[in-house]
Amino acid sequence: MTMVQGTFDDLGTPLSSVTFVVVDLETTGGSPAECAITEIGAVKVRGGEVVGEFQTLVNPGEPIPAFISVLTGITDAMVADSPRIESALPAFLEFAAGSVLVAHNARFDVSFLKAAAARTEQAWPGFPVLDTVHLARQVVRRDEVPNHRLASLATLFRSPTTPDHRALHDARATVDVLHGLIGRVGNLGVHSLEELLDYTAKVSPARRRKRHLADGLPDAPGVYLFRDGQGRVLYVGTSVSIRTRVRSYFTASEHRRRMGEMVRLAESVSPVVCATTIEAEVRELRLIAEHKPRYNRRSRHPEKALWVKLTVEPFPRLSVVRSVADDGARYVGPFGSRHAAEAAVAAVHEVLPLRQCVERLSPKRTRAACALAEMGRCGAPCTGAQSVEQYAEVVERAARLLGGATRDPFVALQARMGELSGAERFEDAQVVRDRLVALVRGATRSQRLGPLALIPELVAARRSATGGWEVVCVRHGRLAGSTTSPRGADPMPYIGALCASAEVVAAPRAPATAATPEESEKLLRWLEAPGVRIVDVDGAWTCPVAGAAALREQLEPLESSRRRTAGFAGVR
């Protein structure tokens, strides 16, 4: 199975395990550009307990205004022998390392700390920041307090410390306010750091009110479907935790404009719990293909995949078709677009003199040669200049190319690119490069998917994160079922039950599989991942050694080159 790294959106960081450093500053004024810090006080808390405190006066290097001394009680004499910010700030940053900074009106305190870091040429660590003023404005009603100042909130939450404009005292009071606010948002379903930070961000009330759509959803891997008021599917997604992921759509962590529009229309969320993550990923693909949700951009039209076919007739040619037929022809693909399929056809024509006309030719009737024959790009079987047997030699080379039995045409295309580049015909070389990339990608897909399509049943397993086994049953390239076995249990009974209950899958026409190309490729990546063990396979699972897959390392720089070129398109 392709392991999915849990993101913060999916897993979350429990608030009980977060280290908060609540900080307060006293300064010589209100402008971080013109004023200086006179005192730093901070309290480190984790799981509701104080684990450390930090306090130091700071010599600002300038006189403290009289009204500031009256307000804070800090005088020039008090700070005369105190450390300068050049030594006080590194000490504070070391104390706060790896924490979430909390302050009451955090913009003020953080702006002074950042300005001090810039003046002393110290790197700012980029702490996550939580502002208790902003959070309080969202959860503390005005009928509870006259305002949201620290003193008012400290009284509301019964802090034993009275704020008095001394840094450490105010930081201690802010700790009590923080714990009181966390208790309130906890009752609203906020239990992780990510949810807390999102809650304090700017989210419209209408969007936040829809958080109830996540209530009752399972904390398990699977698929979720957003539906509108008429039950129509708006969006399909997958996650290792359905409930946590759905919740994130109603917070500031979701920045995509189209998702904001989708959430406004959503009236319900349907979960589909899956045994394994790979099953969830496959079910997502199938549901998107089934419902074609307007807010999913990918995987909506797998039926539009195209194939390149080497026809079966006296003088075969290459043709772009929509499906694989049981006609004995050679197929390569699938391709995601007609442009890619036609580029692959053009690549073959670059190195092999296959005919390009679309008429069905007869060895008994001849006609005039076309321009390609006159240019030497075709052996002109239409004129009788090339017999069926002679043309068959060209067809055999094409079949070997498409089947992965030779790499000579790929090498020839690369040589052609070199010739054009050497002649400074860079645009022509780029066209050949794009054709080569399309051909290699299509040939690789058919050579990888074809063998999987022929296997009636393949069972594989890998260790799960919980210590048991995740098992999948693949039939003709389609996921027929998956299961998990608990830690310490014999997995064989579970595997037996899986195979007995798995979906019955009819054999397809190879190289097409019984599933969409995207599903089969996803299963291939799972099967090829480190740690996967093949339990049983009915048939042979192979891939040609000299096939297109062997050119993948050469394909990557070509693809990178194409993307860089596209990035500069239109730049002069």
Side-chain angles (χ1 to χ4, degrees):
M1 180 188 70
T2 301
M3 294 299 291
V4 177
Q5 174 65 44
T7 64
F8 281 145
D9 284 340
D10 286 327
L11 303 178
T13 307
L15 289 174
S16 59
S17 65
V18 176
T19 299
F20 295 99
V21 168
V22 182
V23 63
D24 186 81
L25 305 179
E26 302 303 330
T27 66
T28 60
S31 170
E34 300 173 359
C35 304
I37 297 171
T38 59
E39 187 178 28
I40 304 174
V43 182
K44 182 182 295 186
V45 294
R46 185 188 305 113
E49 300 293 332
V50 175
V51 296
E53 291 188 340
F54 178 94
Q55 190 277 332
T56 182
L57 291 168
V58 181
N59 187 335
E62 61 186 46
I64 299 175
F67 75 94
I68 294 293
S69 293
V70 171
L71 179 67
T72 65
I74 301 174
T75 64
D76 291 332
M78 292 172 60
V79 300
D81 297 326
S82 299
R84 301 294 291 267
I85 194 64
E86 288 81 0
S87 57
L89 182 61
F92 168 73
L93 294 179
E94 182 179 357
F95 174 80
S99 69
V100 175
L101 283 190
V102 181
H104 203 69
N105 189 15
R107 180 181 299 180
F108 175 87
D109 299 273
V110 172
S111 65
F112 266 89
L113 290 169
K114 286 184 175 180
R119 282 197 296 268
T120 58
E121 299 183 348
Q122 297 183 64
W124 178 253
F127 298 98
V129 177
L130 179 65
D131 190 342
T132 49
V133 167
H134 186 69
L135 183 57
R137 286 171 179 164
Q138 297 181 71
V139 298
V140 177
R141 302 188 309 273
R142 291 303 296 266
D143 60 352
E144 296 180 274
V145 291
N147 52 57
H148 292 102
R149 294 177 181 174
L150 180 58
S152 299
L153 293 170
T155 300
L156 174 68
F157 291 114
R158 299 180 181 179
S159 172
T161 304
T162 300
D164 59 1
H165 294 291
R166 289 302 301 270
L168 184 57
H169 295 166
D170 288 7
R172 288 171 177 168
T174 305
V175 167
D176 297 323
V177 171
L178 171 66
H179 289 160
L181 295 173
I182 288 178
R184 291 201 173 190
V185 296
N187 295 330
L188 300 175
V190 176
H191 302 294
S192 71
L193 171 63
E194 292 68 36
E195 291 174 319
L196 180 60
L197 295 175
D198 287 334
Y199 198 90
T200 63
K202 295 181 179 179
V203 180
S204 68
R207 185 170 176 179
R208 195 183 299 282
R209 281 196 295 269
K210 291 204 171 183
R211 284 173 59 92
H212 72 88
L213 296 181
D215 294 346
L217 293 179
D219 183 17
V223 181
Y224 52 90
L225 298 85
F226 279 90
R227 299 179 183 270
D228 64 13
Q230 296 178 316
R232 293 172 299 195
V233 177
L234 298 170
Y235 182 78
V236 178
T238 182
S239 175
V240 297
S241 171
I242 295 175
R243 182 176 62 228
T244 305
R245 183 67 184 100
V246 170
R247 276 180 177 172
S248 73
Y249 285 90
F250 313 115
T251 68
S253 64
E254 180 53 72
H255 303 290
R256 293 171 292 178
R257 180 177 298 178
R258 76 181 194 284
M259 289 295 100
E261 180 181 331
M262 184 275 293
V263 167
R264 287 196 296 273
L265 298 174
E267 294 295 335
S268 64
V269 181
S270 303
V272 181
V273 176
C274 299
T276 61
T277 307
I278 185 63
E279 180 185 338
E281 294 174 3
V282 168
R283 284 187 177 274
E284 178 189 32
L285 292 176
R286 294 179 184 177
L287 288 167
I288 291 173
E290 176 186 352
H291 296 285
K292 294 180 171 47
R294 59 188 291 192
Y295 292 100
N296 282 97
R297 290 182 174 176
R298 298 181 179 180
S299 310
R300 292 177 59 188
H301 300 287
E303 69 278 2
K304 292 186 176 180
L306 297 170
W307 299 79
V308 171
K309 171 183 177 179
L310 183 59
T311 61
V312 179
E313 54 184 308
F315 298 106
R317 62 184 179 87
L318 294 178
S319 175
V320 177
V321 297
R322 291 198 173 276
S323 61
V324 175
D326 187 14
D327 55 5
R330 175 78 69 176
Y331 291 85
V332 62
F335 295 87
S337 67
R338 179 166 291 275
H339 175 77
E342 291 176 346
V345 170
V348 177
H349 288 153
E350 284 278 349
V351 292
L352 294 175
L354 283 174
R355 71 181 183 95
Q356 300 182 37
C357 52
V358 297
E359 296 88 350
R360 187 174 182 86
L361 301 183
S362 170
K364 297 180 180 180
R365 292 193 304 272
T366 62
R367 60 177 179 81
C370 64
L372 289 174
E374 295 175 356
M375 296 168 57
R377 300 285 300 277
C378 175
C382 56
T383 68
Q386 197 172 31
S387 67
V388 172
E389 292 75 18
Q390 290 170 329
Y391 189 80
E393 296 178 4
V394 179
V395 174
E396 176 60 24
R397 292 171 60 193
R400 287 171 57 81
L401 164 63
L402 301 180
T406 179
R407 296 175 60 183
D408 293 344
F410 295 117
V411 175
L413 282 169
Q414 290 176 295
R416 177 64 175 155
M417 286 172 51
E419 293 173 4
L420 293 171
S421 297
E424 298 187 353
R425 295 171 56 186
F426 300 115
E427 291 186 359
D428 292 336
Q430 178 180 332
V431 171
V432 175
R433 178 200 63 195
D434 293 344
R435 291 173 176 175
L436 172 60
V437 168
L439 177 59
V440 170
R441 289 177 66 86
T444 299
R445 294 184 90 181
S446 59
Q447 291 164 19
R448 282 167 48 78
L449 295 178
L452 193 64
L454 296 173
I455 298 176
E457 182 174 280
L458 188 154
V459 181
R462 72 175 297 168
R463 285 284 186 185
S464 67
T466 58
W469 289 92
E470 294 181 332
V471 187
V472 301
C473 177
V474 179
R475 292 175 175 170
H476 297 296
R478 179 181 176 86
L479 180 66
S482 75
T483 190
T484 57
S485 66
R487 178 195 294 269
D490 180 2
M492 296 312 297
Y494 294 87
I495 294 173
L498 170 64
C499 294
S501 60
E503 177 187 357
V504 175
V505 179
R509 298 185 181 97
T513 65
T516 63
E518 192 170 355
E519 175 179 332
S520 297
E521 289 192 319
K522 192 176 290 291
L523 292 171
L524 272 174
R525 289 192 293 271
W526 188 92
L527 292 169
E528 295 170 345
V532 172
R533 302 183 185 182
I534 303 300
V535 178
D536 186 36
V537 58
D538 181 5
W541 182 25
T542 62
C543 190
V545 174
L551 296 171
R552 294 187 77 107
E553 291 184 2
Q554 299 179 33
L555 175 62
E556 285 301 321
L558 288 174
E559 273 285 79
S560 300
S561 174
R562 183 187 66 79
R563 288 191 292 266
R564 287 195 300 270
T565 302
F568 284 104
V571 178
R572 296 290 185 267

